[in-house]
Amino acid sequence: MPELVRAIYPGSFDPVTNGHIDIIERGRSIFDHVIVAVAVNQDKDPMFTTEERMEMLRDVTRQWDNVEIDRFDGLLVDYVSSRDASVILRGIRAVTDFDYEFQMALMNRRLAGSIETVFLVPAEAYEYLSSSLVKEVASLGGTVRGLLPPSVEKRLNAKLEALRCSDGES
Ligand code: ADP
């Protein structure tokens, strides 16, 4: 029997966007099992907690039985090995992603030569979509309809409201 190929899709997912979901959907049709892994230890200061980011991901992927949501900290290649996976899945957008993604892919190959990084390209509509842009636009009162699943959009608006209220108190 051929060996099952397990892929890890790591990222911040702060919050998950339709661009991420596009990559997960493409990934799950290529690989036997896709583990979406939320990065815990990051320099970035996330808007949502790790648990909140995982909940939103679970919510929008529950219809897919070969997609799993997990978290990781520490070295990505160690996590990939610990989950018996052989592929790191990353989405690649316009030119700005290339330099950073190449550096990371080559560093990960240095650290673990048997793990391959696979890049997938999203639908054109999501080519310029990022979690940070969505957060910025929403916080300024702009509409982000169509860029996030409705359940995530609701949670983003609630989070912004909560942040506004706590700002008002301080
Ligand atoms: P990170 O902090 O690791 O970049 P992100 O959540 O921003 O975490 O992104 C996780 C992965 O998803 C990265 O490979 C990123 O390039 C990819 N990605 C993010 N947004 C999109 C999008 N709109 N289309 C395709 N890939 C995307």
Side-chain angles (χ1 to χ4, degrees):
M1 222 171 66
E3 209 176 305
L4 296 186
V5 182
R6 291 156 68 86
I8 304 286
Y9 179 32
S12 318
F13 307 103
D14 186 39
V16 55
T17 69
N18 286 345
H20 293 126
I21 295 170
D22 178 295
I23 298 298
I24 296 170
E25 193 166 7
R26 286 173 206 281
R28 74 176 281 276
S29 69
I30 300 174
F31 303 109
D32 297 294
H33 192 72
V34 173
I35 301 168
V36 183
V38 176
V40 177
N41 246 351
Q42 279 213 325
D43 303 335
K44 300 179 181 179
D45 184 22
M47 174 181 273
F48 292 95
T49 65
T50 308
E51 199 41 55
E52 286 172 330
R53 287 179 275 155
M54 291 175 71
E55 264 170 35
M56 287 185 275
L57 277 162
R58 270 192 219 108
D59 230 37
V60 298
T61 60
R62 67 172 80 254
Q63 70 276 26
W64 294 324
D65 56 6
N66 65 339
V67 176
E68 177 188 338
I69 311 301
D70 195 10
R71 59 199 282 164
F72 79 100
D73 52 16
L75 218 44
L76 175 61
V77 289
D78 289 343
Y79 172 73
V80 174
S81 305
S82 77
R83 296 300 322 261
D84 284 330
S86 54
V87 170
I88 296 172
L89 176 61
R90 296 285 286 178
I92 199 114
R93 288 163 294 186
V95 279
T96 44
D97 276 341
F98 276 84
D99 196 34
Y100 174 67
E101 293 291 341
F102 264 68
Q103 281 182 39
M104 226 168 51
L106 289 172
M107 180 54 79
N108 284 331
R109 179 175 288 158
R110 259 182 83 101
L111 294 169
S114 60
I115 297 172
E116 286 296 345
T117 301
V118 172
F119 295 109
L120 293 180
V121 176
E124 255 174 277
Y126 307 134
E127 198 56 45
Y128 292 96
L129 173 58
S130 67
S131 302
S132 47
L133 199 56
V134 162
K135 284 183 284 189
E136 196 178 329
V137 169
S139 70
L140 296 171
T143 177
V144 291
R145 190 133 309 151
L147 304 178
L148 303 172
S151 62
V152 177
E153 188 184 337
K154 241 186 243 159
R155 289 188 73 143
L156 175 59
N157 287 330
K159 174 69 87 174
L160 287 168
E161 191 53 39
L163 290 174
R164 259 184 231 118
C165 289
S166 66
D167 269 1
E169 281 164 15
S170 59

